[in-house]
Amino acid sequence: MTKILLEARALTKRYGDHLALDSLNIAVGAGETVCLLGANGAGKTTTINLFLGFTAPTSGQAIVGGKDVALDPAGARALLGYVAEVVSLYPALTGAENLVFFNRLAGLTTDIGQRDDILARLRFPLAQIDQAAGSYSKGMRQKLGLAIALMKGARAILLDEPLSGLDPAAANDLVGVLRETAAGGTALLISTHDIFRAKDVADRIGIMRHGRLVDSVDPAQLSGLELERLYLTHMAERAA
């Protein structure tokens, strides 16, 4: 039986009169990739922020590896990695120095052999690890963000629009890296606008609208065109 590493149970968030997330129920198991697909304001980033403990739920639970984020934020965060749409690195430091710095923040030392193994799996060019991070492309920054998460031993990784702004070749490369990362047993929860890349990478796609999960589909059962039509149908219901 697959171990559930990320779970939302009736997870709800209100900001005053605005319902940002409405009774979300999802579960992501080890080795599984779930994409949350939706327009701006659909609740995708709110979901990620609740799992990270950046904001407190109005009701319901965000659970990471069996730990309730609201009750044990440090314990939950120790199991999590996070890759933002724009990965925050120290531009004057090299990639290697950034990895050492973030490892120290997590209370860890850096094993060079482990580092190089992870970078190789992420297809990060090792020849550039000693270059200033400010010179990296967005795709390289995303990979270094994944490396930071994996080096801390994250069991689950949250990714907010990781494919945004990548050219087709870089996006295709990152999709392959994400597949391989999940195949190693890591749970991935990804927010995205990209219907077709979501189909490429996800085991399951949740379509979100107005803070609600309105559909959950197996992308292997749908063509790209069918998935697009389904998504647009839900978005048309939003506008009606």
Side-chain angles (χ1 to χ4, degrees):
M1 183 177 178
T2 301
K3 180 178 176 59
I4 300 300
L5 293 175
L6 292 169
E7 187 175 8
R9 296 179 184 171
L11 190 59
T12 300
K13 180 64 182 179
R14 284 186 178 274
Y15 295 98
D17 293 332
H18 175 60
L19 184 58
L21 194 65
D22 186 4
S23 299
L24 177 67
N25 291 287
I26 58 168
V28 189
E32 186 178 20
T33 299
V34 172
C35 282
L36 298 180
L37 185 65
N40 289 334
K44 307 184 305 295
T45 298
T46 298
T47 300
I48 286 177
N49 286 340
L50 286 163
F51 273 115
L52 289 167
F54 289 170
T55 187
T58 303
S59 61
Q61 295 172 287
I63 299 169
V64 180
K67 299 180 185 296
D68 187 316
V69 175
L71 299 177
D72 186 6
R77 214 169 280 144
L79 301 173
L80 274 179
Y82 173 53
V83 180
E85 180 177 358
V86 178
V87 175
S88 295
L89 301 171
Y90 288 92
L93 299 181
T94 66
E97 289 167 340
N98 271 280
L99 285 170
V100 169
F101 175 78
F102 286 106
N103 255 11
R104 286 178 178 169
L105 283 183
L108 303 171
T109 57
T110 301
D111 180 286
I112 300 300
Q114 178 202 32
R115 181 201 74 180
D116 289 352
D117 177 63
I118 288 172
L119 292 173
R121 285 192 281 124
L122 297 178
R123 305 177 197 170
F124 186 98
L126 285 176
Q128 297 185 49
I129 195 61
D130 291 317
Q131 293 181 7
S135 69
Y136 291 169
S137 67
K138 179 172 181 180
M140 289 174 63
R141 294 170 69 88
Q142 299 294 88
K143 290 179 181 181
L144 199 65
L146 281 168
I148 290 166
L150 292 171
M151 287 189 69
K152 70 170 276 193
R155 305 284 305 283
I157 301 177
L158 309 169
L159 300 102
D160 197 0
E161 299 289 353
L163 299 164
S164 173
L166 295 180
D167 64 59
N172 186 63
D173 180 47
L174 187 59
V175 164
V177 165
L178 292 173
R179 284 176 177 162
E180 292 166 17
T181 300
T186 306
L188 302 180
L189 180 63
I190 302 172
S191 80
T192 184
H193 291 91
D194 192 327
I195 295 171
F196 298 103
R197 294 297 181 185
K199 175 173 168 52
D200 286 343
V201 75
D203 298 297
R204 194 156 28 93
I205 294 174
I207 299 175
M208 299 191 71
R209 174 174 57 87
H210 283 331
R212 298 190 66 190
L213 183 68
V214 295
D215 211 341
S216 181
V217 299
D218 177 353
Q221 302 303 312
L222 298 171
S223 69
L225 184 57
E226 288 169 332
L227 178 59
E228 183 181 42
R229 285 174 177 164
L230 178 63
Y231 176 78
L232 291 174
T233 296
H234 285 299
M235 295 306 104
E237 290 171 356
R238 171 193 181 193

